[in-house]
Amino acid sequence: MIPGVDLIKLLETISVVGITIMIFAESGLLIGFFLPGDTVIFTAGFLVHAGLLPIDINVLALILFIAAVAGDSVGYTFGHRVGRKLFDRPNSRVFKQTHLRKAEEFYKKYGGKTIIFARFIPAVRTFAPIVAGASKMSYRTFVTFNLLGGAGWVVLNLYLGFFLGAWFESIGISIDHVLLPLVIIILIISILPAIIPLMKNKSQRDAMWKITKKQFATLLRRK
């Protein structure tokens, strides 16, 4: 979900080539951390079933799997070559130290399995392979986790979208009526691992609640 962008129309416009580039960029390029990979893949599955993406679902799964694995491999190579210099780099509009630090903490906690778990957490999945490369993880070990994580991420999201589309159609519900709510649910699920640790801390909960109330008050005043 990119603010101000109709995701369905966007994916229809950029088609398979554009979707593949998005999935690669989210994992392989630092500028891709803001891309909603989970919702893009899930929505793509829906659109394939609806006939709006003219490609076989299994072929698309293979293409996106390759893109996801290749993206993580590029991230690993970048981290391996640049190493710890990344941690001394100042914040910019694109690069945020908080994302890199969060990925490093995740890596310390879960080790190699981070490459699998991080696939399902926005922003962290962009920086996890970079941290793995910077920490000198064996490339053979990295490839194993990369293949498993990439396959699980793509297959789960893509086929979930495809088969849910088929199920809703079978019971007479238009895909157009349910796609947006389902995409929002997928987005919420994907950010839960990042939100839950924050909610455990009382000061952070209070700060988030204060900000939320302030935003609601601003919206009400505008009305």
Side-chain angles (χ1 to χ4, degrees), residues 32-188:
F33 73 89
F34 65 90
L35 294 173
D38 303 300
T39 52
V40 167
I41 297 175
F42 177 83
T43 305
F46 243 69
L47 296 180
V48 169
H49 173 75
L52 299 175
L53 278 180
I55 187 173
D56 180 82
I57 189 66
N58 299 312
V59 174
L60 182 58
L62 178 60
I63 292 172
L64 297 185
F65 165 69
I66 293 172
V69 170
D72 260 27
S73 294
V74 169
Y76 173 92
T77 302
F78 180 73
H80 187 74
R81 291 182 177 179
V82 175
R84 304 302 297 181
K85 293 180 182 179
L86 277 175
F87 290 84
D88 299 323
R89 180 176 175 174
N91 283 329
S92 66
R93 289 185 178 181
V94 174
F95 181 83
K96 302 295 182 183
Q97 279 286 341
T98 52
H99 297 315
L100 186 60
R101 299 290 180 185
K102 187 182 295 184
E104 185 181 39
E105 290 171 9
F106 214 80
Y107 184 83
K108 286 179 180 178
K109 184 175 182 179
Y110 296 108
K113 290 180 288 187
T114 296
I115 307 304
I116 297 177
F117 297 153
R119 281 287 185 186
F120 300 88
I121 305 176
V124 174
R125 64 172 154 259
T126 300
F127 292 92
I130 295 174
V131 171
S135 64
K136 310 301 181 184
M137 172 191 278
S138 161
Y139 186 68
R140 179 177 296 180
T141 302
F142 171 79
V143 167
T144 300
F145 287 115
N146 187 16
L147 291 171
L148 291 173
W153 185 53
V154 169
V155 168
L156 178 63
N157 286 294
L158 187 66
Y159 286 99
L160 182 61
F162 182 82
F163 287 116
L164 274 179
W167 181 71
F168 279 115
E169 184 178 274
S170 71
I171 59 177
I173 298 178
S174 172
I175 289 176
D176 292 337
H177 294 159
V178 296
L179 181 54
L180 183 57
L182 285 172
V183 166
I184 291 174
I185 290 172
I186 292 294
L187 180 64
I188 292 173

